[in-house]
Amino acid sequence: MTPTLPPARYIDPASAPPFRWGVIGTGIAGRFVDSLHSHTTQRAVAVAARDLDRTEAFAREHSVERVFGTTTALIESSEIDVVYIATPHPQHRDLALEAIAAGKHVLIEKPIAMSAHEASDITAAGRAAGVLVMEAMWTRYLPQSDIVRQVVASGLLGDLRLVRADFGFVMPFLPDHRLWSAELGGGALLDAGIYPISFVSSVLGSPSMVIARGSTAPTGVDASADVMLASADGATGIASTSIITSMPVTAEILGSAGRLLVHGPFIGPSGLTLTTGSFFDESSTTWIEPSLAMYDGMSCQATALAKYVAEGRVESPVHPHAEIVSIMATIDEARHQIAALPVNG
């Protein structure tokens, strides 16, 4: 019998109150602001970044009304409801704590910080201040991710055995580039590896054991990593990442009664294939994202944030604080294990 996939439960952008967003940083923020303006009722009304000329150009290109000369001025402005932090990772903690102290809700680009300790500082501060803190793990808020959660919760896959995911690409070695710079929070795990590790966590929860193998670059950052994550109930997760190897960027959940494939690139809007039945009598069904192009999917997290604020939440129900900290602890341990290996070994 052909299996069926449940429908995605969308959050209607019109159902969420419109907020005024202040943007800090001008890198990936451009894609986020464009998706915000095209697919939600939210509006980026101000931007601040280190280079004023570049910031002004960003504002013109992405229809942002106001440029602040400093990040503090933006954070303290009464014109801002939510601060979106899209700077290099090492700056996340201090900026987030400053915004939280000013009573602002915050969406912080992944990784939320440089370590589990810093992530705990941020989430605890948000809870104490009564403001919403979210990591911009946009994959969690895609329609396909809602379908994945429903399939896993339904038991349709049987006993879960293996969850695997990967995200890797080839980045030329440029020592001063942020991906290769230890000072700028470089390395495969923090930039790309957080996606497959987060996917495994979303299905299996916090691991009972972490085993990591990989390679390091001459600058000391991890260039690749394969991370095995054991769960308390006996299932295994495998997360692979690299900035020296091209990968298919897919994810899969395998159980005793079936398997669910998230098409590549699984980090953005893509599709799903559910397969059930015995080896000699399998049946499959496929769902393809009907409307969202790749980076359009970044808008889903903004709509979710606005809805959660309206509900009085201080953390995301699909990506709670404890899990954010746990994922960072997994990355901390993987980075520690790989750093102990010989360079390029």
Side-chain angles (χ1 to χ4, degrees):
M1 184 172 66
T2 302
T4 59
L5 284 163
R9 295 168 299 190
Y10 294 86
I11 300 176
D12 181 359
S15 70
F19 289 121
R20 302 165 298 175
W21 293 63
V23 176
I24 299 178
T26 57
I28 191 66
R31 295 189 185 278
F32 174 73
V33 170
D34 288 346
S35 71
L36 193 79
H37 290 170
S38 297
H39 297 281
T40 79
T41 61
Q42 311 302 308
R43 286 296 173 265
V45 299
V47 61
R50 181 179 56 183
D51 186 319
L52 184 58
D53 289 341
R54 183 175 178 179
T55 306
E56 289 175 340
F58 177 97
R60 290 191 297 271
E61 180 180 357
H62 301 287
S63 302
V64 178
E65 299 170 5
R66 185 168 181 185
V67 173
F68 282 91
T70 68
T71 57
T72 295
L74 181 148
I75 287 169
E76 293 181 348
S77 172
S78 60
E79 301 172 12
I80 304 299
D81 304 308
V82 184
V83 175
Y84 169 60
I85 299 171
T87 60
H89 321 327
Q91 299 172 24
H92 288 182
R93 176 186 177 275
D94 289 349
L95 287 169
L97 292 179
E98 185 179 1
I100 290 166
K104 301 298 195 292
H105 307 289
V106 288
L107 178 67
I108 308 160
E109 262 307 328
K110 55 83 203 161
I112 191 172
M114 288 293 294
S115 67
H117 179 75
E118 289 189 357
S120 183
D121 286 347
I122 294 168
T123 55
R127 182 176 297 281
V131 298
L132 180 69
V133 171
M134 272 177 46
E135 182 180 53
M137 180 51 67
W138 58 301
T139 308
R140 291 287 178 107
Y141 304 95
L142 297 173
Q144 70 202 34
S145 296
D146 179 68
I147 297 175
V148 170
R149 287 189 289 270
Q150 291 184 69
V151 170
V152 170
S154 73
L156 187 61
L157 301 179
D159 296 328
L160 300 185
R161 308 294 194 200
L162 177 67
V163 180
R164 53 149 299 273
D166 66 81
F167 184 15
F169 50 89
V170 177
M171 178 70 187
F173 181 67
L174 302 169
D176 293 332
H177 190 279
R178 69 170 185 86
L179 285 177
W180 296 106
S181 168
E183 292 75 18
L184 296 176
L189 279 162
L190 285 171
D191 189 78
I194 191 170
Y195 283 102
I197 290 173
S198 181
F199 182 86
V200 172
S201 174
S202 73
V203 180
L204 299 182
S206 298
S208 59
M209 181 175 62
V210 177
I211 299 174
R213 294 294 181 267
S215 62
T216 56
T219 53
V221 304
D222 53 282
S224 65
D226 295 297
V227 185
M228 188 181 79
L229 304 167
S231 71
D233 61 3
T236 299
I238 299 176
S240 297
T241 187
S242 179
I243 49 177
I244 56 174
T245 306
S246 178
M247 295 181 172
V249 198
T250 58
E252 195 165 16
I253 305 169
L254 299 94
S256 59
R259 62 186 183 272
L260 182 65
L261 171 69
V262 188
H263 302 179
F266 83 90
I267 65 169
S270 56
L272 304 166
T273 295
L274 172 65
T275 302
T276 58
S278 67
F279 180 75
F280 297 104
D281 188 26
E282 289 187 339
S283 296
S284 297
T285 188
T286 294
W287 173 92
I288 300 296
E289 166 56 48
S291 59
L292 292 172
M294 180 63 178
Y295 292 104
D296 291 346
M298 297 184 83
S299 65
C300 298
Q301 63 187 344
T303 294
L305 181 146
K307 180 175 183 289
Y308 298 156
V309 169
E311 293 171 348
R313 299 180 185 271
V314 295
E315 62 185 308
S316 164
V318 301
H319 196 199
H321 289 172
E323 189 185 2
I324 291 173
V325 174
S326 170
I327 290 166
M328 289 307 305
T330 296
I331 292 174
D332 288 349
E333 179 60 22
R335 293 177 73 202
H336 171 74
Q337 292 184 25
I338 291 170
L341 299 174
V343 173
N344 297 323

